[in-house]
Amino acid sequence: MKRPYPPSTRFQVRAFRRTMLAVMALIGLLTLGTVGYRWLEDLDFVDALYMTVITLSTVGFGEVHPLSPVGRMFTVSLIVGGGGLAAYTLSGIAEFLFSGELRIQWDHQRRTRMLQQLSDHIIICGYGRMGRNVAHALKGEGLPFVVIDPNPEKIEHVREMGYLALQANAADETHLEEAGIRRARGLVAAANSDAENVFIVLTARSLHPKLLIVARANFEESEQKLVRAGADRVILPYRISGRRVATVLLRPEVDDFLDEVSHSSGMELLLEQIHLAPTSPLVGQTLAQAQLGSRLGVTVLACKLPEQQLNTRPSADTVLKANAKIIVLGTRDQLQAVMHLARG
C-alpha cells in the first residue's frame, strides 16, 4: 500500500509540478516565437529571439523593423499566450496564499521543529479515554509529551488543546523516530486493542532498550504478552477500578487519603519518588541520621536500594546509598527541599 505524502511533501510536489509546467510553457512560447519570426519576417536568430522576448514581456519597444500584417497577428497571439502564462502563474500564487497551504506548511514546519527539540519527554500512543487522561495529568505536572494517533479528528482535538501530536500509526518505526523516541524518558501504549499495544511495545523496545514503557491491557491474558513484548508496567483499568471501588465501600477514609496524595492539583499532601544522586549529602547516612522527618517534615514511606526490592517498611538504620529511590509524603515545598538535597 502506497504511503500518502505528509502535508509538506504534498505541497512541495504540487509547487514543483506547477513551476515545471510554467517553465515548460515559457520555453515553448520562446521557441515558437523565435521560429515564427524567423519564418514570417525573415529575421536572423538573434533578432527573432529579441522580438519574442520584448513581446512576451509586453515591453514592446525597439522593434527590428516594421512588421507585416501576418507578423502583427503573430505578435498578438504571442501576447495572448504570454498573458495566459502570467494568469496561470498568478493563479498558482493566489491558490497558495488563499487556500490555506501556506498556513498548513508553516504549522507543519513549526511542529517538526518542536518535535526535534523535545527531550526527556513522554510519548502517548493512542488518544482514547486513557490517553486523554494521561495527557491531562502530564500537562498538570508540567512534563513535555507528544500524542500519536491515526484518527484525524482526535489529532485535531489534541492540537486544539495545545498539545503536540502526530497523525500516524505508533507501531511504525518511522513515526516513533519522528516523535523522538531515542530522546524520550517514557512511552504509554494506550491504543484501543491489546494487539495494537503489543506491536507498539515491540517496536518501541527495539528502538530504545532502556525506555520506560507502560502499556494498557483490556484483558488479563494480555498482560504477560505485553510484558514479554517489553513493557515495564502493564495497567489493567478494570482491575484497578475494581480495587478502588472496593476501597471506597470498605474504607472510605482511606480512599479519601489516597485520592489526596495521588493528585497534585490543588492538594496539600503529595507522594513523590526521589532519586538520590551520588553527590547527595544524604548518601551514606541512615534514615535516622538524615532526620528527614524532623528537619524537613516529610514522611519516608518506602525505600528501594540499588539491586534490591522495594522496602515498604524501612527501619531507622537503613543506610541510604547512591542511586537509591525513596518514596516520601509531604507538601510541595517540603518535597522540593528533599529533592534539592537528593540532587546534591
Side-chain angles (χ1 to χ4, degrees), residues 130-309:
M130 182 174 180
R132 183 167 58 250
N133 282 282
V134 172
H136 292 341
L138 294 177
K139 180 68 174 179
E141 293 287 343
L143 295 175
F145 63 91
V146 58
V147 176
I148 303 179
D149 195 286
N151 189 311
E153 295 180 358
K154 290 183 179 180
I155 291 300
E156 184 64 27
H157 175 73
V158 172
R159 289 172 179 166
E160 288 176 357
M161 296 292 294
Y163 304 154
L164 267 178
L166 283 176
Q167 183 186 337
N169 178 8
D172 191 307
E173 292 185 5
T174 304
H175 298 139
L176 287 177
E177 292 278 13
E178 188 178 355
I181 188 171
R182 298 186 190 277
R183 304 185 304 274
R185 67 184 295 181
L187 179 142
V188 179
N192 291 329
S193 73
D194 292 353
E196 288 182 74
N197 287 329
V198 168
F199 283 117
I200 291 171
V201 171
L202 279 170
T203 306
R205 182 57 71 204
S206 67
L207 293 173
H208 195 330
K210 296 183 179 180
L211 183 69
L212 175 62
I213 299 178
V214 179
R216 164 192 168 171
N218 293 317
F219 304 100
E220 293 188 2
E221 54 266 27
S222 301
E223 183 175 7
Q224 289 304 314
K225 296 178 183 177
L226 286 163
V227 171
R228 288 195 295 269
D232 297 289
R233 299 284 191 276
V234 178
I235 304 298
L236 284 91
Y238 297 110
R239 177 191 293 173
I240 294 175
S241 299
R243 291 174 177 174
R244 185 67 182 270
V245 169
T247 301
V248 172
L249 291 171
L250 301 176
R251 307 172 189 88
E253 287 77 16
V254 172
D255 179 73
D256 291 340
F257 173 76
L258 292 175
D259 187 65
E260 181 174 347
V261 300
S262 299
H263 301 84
S264 60
S265 178
M267 299 298 179
E268 180 64 21
L269 292 176
L270 307 174
L271 273 174
E272 186 61 79
Q273 173 183 294
I274 297 176
H275 175 265
L276 297 183
T279 55
S280 172
L282 298 176
V283 173
Q285 296 184 0
T286 64
L287 286 175
Q289 293 170 335
Q291 297 181 343
L292 296 178
S294 58
R295 283 199 298 160
L296 303 177
V298 299
T299 302
V300 179
L301 300 178
C303 178
K304 185 178 186 303
L305 300 177
E307 309 301 330
Q308 294 187 21
Q309 296 293 324

Side-chain angles (χ1 to χ4, degrees), residues 50 88 102 107 139 184 265 306 316 344:
Y50 174 74
Y88 175 79
L102 184 61
D107 287 347
K139 180 68 174 179
S265 178

